[in-house]
Amino acid sequence: MQIQSEMMGDENRRMVRNMVREFADKHIRPYVMEWDEAQIFPVDTFKAMGQLGIMGVLVPEVYGGAGLGYHEYVDIIVEVAKVCGSVGLSLAAHNSLCTGHILTFGNETQKQRWLPKLATADWIGAWALTEANTGSDALGMGTTAVLDGDEYVVNGSKNWITHGKSGDIAVVMVRTGEKNRSLGVSTLVIEKGTPGFTHGKKENKLGMRASETTELVFDNCRVPKENLLGEEGEGFKQAMKVLDGGRISIAALALGIAKGAFEAATKYAKERHQFGQPIASFQGISFKLADMATEIEAAELLIRQACELKNLGKDVTKNSAMAKYYASEVSVRCATEAVQIFGGYGYTKDFPVEKYYRDSKLCTIGEGTSEIQKLVIAREVLK
């Protein structure tokens, strides 16, 4: 079964959720710890998700995508992240960043060239903004692209790039003008196999270990001029717009992890007996569950509000930052409390909550730290 854009009502959203839940239970859950321990990026699983239509959730059907909206997109990420944060993260990065950037800013020729491959996961996508010395300070990037005839010559490197090794295509922000000026940044699409384009070391991470993170390296890499997205100097503005939507997906990722941790903790609290009764009957435990449930509900409402605005084509900068900031912090709190409810067992790899605990932290860092989200929110409310 492949999802299509006719599925827009409540009943059809339920069908999509059930389909993704069944896929995750059958094709992801049995391998979660194996992938995590060995840091395996399960390319074949993503190809299978491409066949379902969930690697091109927001891409119109004319380009081979599912043509769905942000509510369905959040539903899909949540169901995957409840089972495995790593797979949820890679799903979000592929859809929102690489594919989303080309969908939003590519011309018709570029869309027809790349979107059908991305929407079906025939190609896995990467998106490259961050560098070793420029995290939040993206305008200080050192990777340069100099126009030479009909080609850009790219030199430099990017860090913390999801799918940097296994990706078939990367959307890369490069400096074509002055450093520390937004008009000095442009966007190039670079395909795997382009001479001078390689990957560097793979990061050995605390969590999200099955989501591949590597360096990208450019050494006199020659990229055709027609691979420029939009105009020269628009790259930073494009990246910020892409991140507005991407933050909704990271908020959804955080929500899925929080829900997974909460469900595991609730089940355990009902089953685990101490002093002759389930530990859920003790106020110390039940109040933890009450706080988790309340914060999860509040996070979801912020996310849904951002989804609604995004679907309507309205400005979503403040709302997506609020959703991402709050949901990611809730995710960490819920995962922490889940480990506490499990006690000593929560600290072992025999139970699922230690992985939620490790995975949740990335949500407060990736696609803009919590501190950057607060900066964005403050700027918006003080306008």
Side-chain angles (χ1 to χ4, degrees), residues 143-261:
T143 300
T144 57
V146 179
L147 191 60
D148 179 27
D150 291 331
E151 296 176 318
Y152 284 97
V153 181
V154 183
N155 282 286
S157 62
K158 296 288 180 177
N159 274 48
W160 308 109
I161 308 307
T162 305
H163 316 142
K165 177 183 175 183
S166 298
D168 301 281
I169 185 171
V171 173
V172 185
M173 271 51 71
V174 293
R175 189 157 57 79
T176 50
E178 289 182 46
K179 207 169 190 175
N180 298 313
R181 286 178 60 87
S182 65
L183 293 177
V185 178
S186 302
T187 308
L188 292 174
V189 179
I190 309 179
E191 296 179 14
K192 193 177 196 173
T194 303
F197 176 30
T198 56
H199 67 85
K201 71 164 185 156
K202 182 175 176 177
E203 303 295 343
N204 185 10
K205 307 194 297 288
L206 168 73
M208 302 291 193
R209 290 169 59 82
S211 179
E212 178 186 275
T213 309
T214 73
E215 287 180 315
L216 293 183
V217 180
F218 306 96
D219 181 13
N220 289 322
C221 175
R222 301 187 77 89
V223 182
K225 189 179 178 181
E226 59 261 28
N227 286 25
L228 178 74
L229 289 182
E231 302 293 328
E232 257 198 27
E234 293 180 348
F236 187 75
K237 185 172 68 176
Q238 291 175 3
M240 294 305 102
K241 175 121 174 127
V242 168
L243 286 172
D244 276 349
R247 283 168 181 154
I248 297 174
S249 73
I250 299 301
L253 173 67
L255 180 65
I257 291 169
K259 285 187 173 186

Side-chain angles (χ1 to χ4, degrees), residues 94 96 108 115 132 217 233 276 280 311 330:
H94 174 92
S96 281
E108 189 58 32
L115 288 179
V217 180
N311 282 343
V330 164

Side-chain angles (χ1 to χ4, degrees), residues 81-355:
K82 277 163 67 174
V83 176
C84 181
S86 294
V87 179
L89 172 62
S90 281
L91 174 69
H94 174 92
N95 272 281
S96 281
L97 300 182
C98 180
T99 307
H101 200 137
I102 294 170
L103 176 64
T104 307
F105 295 105
N107 59 39
E108 189 58 32
T109 302
Q110 291 168 334
K111 289 178 184 178
Q112 289 181 5
R113 179 179 169 190
W114 292 311
L115 288 179
K117 292 176 180 176
L118 287 163
T120 56
D122 183 27
W123 281 12
I124 303 291
W127 191 81
L129 175 65
T130 303
E131 298 182 4
N133 297 314
T134 58
S136 299
D137 181 19
L139 286 177
M141 70 176 64
T143 300
T144 57
V146 179
L147 191 60
D148 179 27
D150 291 331
E151 296 176 318
Y152 284 97
V153 181
V154 183
N155 282 286
S157 62
K158 296 288 180 177
N159 274 48
W160 308 109
I161 308 307
T162 305
H163 316 142
K165 177 183 175 183
S166 298
D168 301 281
I169 185 171
V171 173
V172 185
M173 271 51 71
V174 293
R175 189 157 57 79
T176 50
E178 289 182 46
K179 207 169 190 175
N180 298 313
R181 286 178 60 87
S182 65
L183 293 177
V185 178
S186 302
T187 308
L188 292 174
V189 179
I190 309 179
E191 296 179 14
K192 193 177 196 173
T194 303
F197 176 30
T198 56
H199 67 85
K201 71 164 185 156
K202 182 175 176 177
E203 303 295 343
N204 185 10
K205 307 194 297 288
L206 168 73
M208 302 291 193
R209 290 169 59 82
S211 179
E212 178 186 275
T213 309
T214 73
E215 287 180 315
L216 293 183
V217 180
F218 306 96
D219 181 13
N220 289 322
C221 175
R222 301 187 77 89
V223 182
K225 189 179 178 181
E226 59 261 28
N227 286 25
L228 178 74
L229 289 182
E231 302 293 328
E232 257 198 27
E234 293 180 348
F236 187 75
K237 185 172 68 176
Q238 291 175 3
M240 294 305 102
K241 175 121 174 127
V242 168
L243 286 172
D244 276 349
R247 283 168 181 154
I248 297 174
S249 73
I250 299 301
L253 173 67
L255 180 65
I257 291 169
K259 285 187 173 186
F262 172 72
E263 288 173 12
T266 303
K267 183 172 182 285
Y268 182 80
K270 290 176 179 177
E271 294 170 353
R272 170 77 166 168
H273 282 66
Q274 293 285 274
F275 308 103
Q277 56 190 307
I279 63 171
S281 66
F282 296 112
Q283 196 175 74
I285 300 298
S286 67
F287 278 17
K288 287 183 188 297
L289 294 170
D291 283 338
M292 291 161 78
T294 303
E295 292 195 326
I296 285 169
E297 200 90 1
E300 179 146 24
L301 287 168
L302 279 171
I303 294 167
R304 294 301 173 185
Q305 184 181 43
C307 286
E308 197 64 24
L309 290 169
K310 189 71 177 167
N311 282 343
L312 292 170
K314 295 186 177 180
D315 180 66
V316 76
T317 301
K318 180 187 77 173
N319 300 87
S320 65
M322 285 179 166
K324 195 271 187 189
Y325 165 54
Y326 188 73
S328 64
E329 296 292 340
V330 164
S331 186
V332 171
R333 286 196 291 271
C334 285
T336 302
E337 290 290 39
V339 171
Q340 196 70 17
I341 288 168
F342 271 76
Y345 292 112
Y347 207 65
T348 72
K349 291 184 183 288
D350 296 327
F351 291 84
V353 290
E354 66 84 30
K355 184 173 182 297

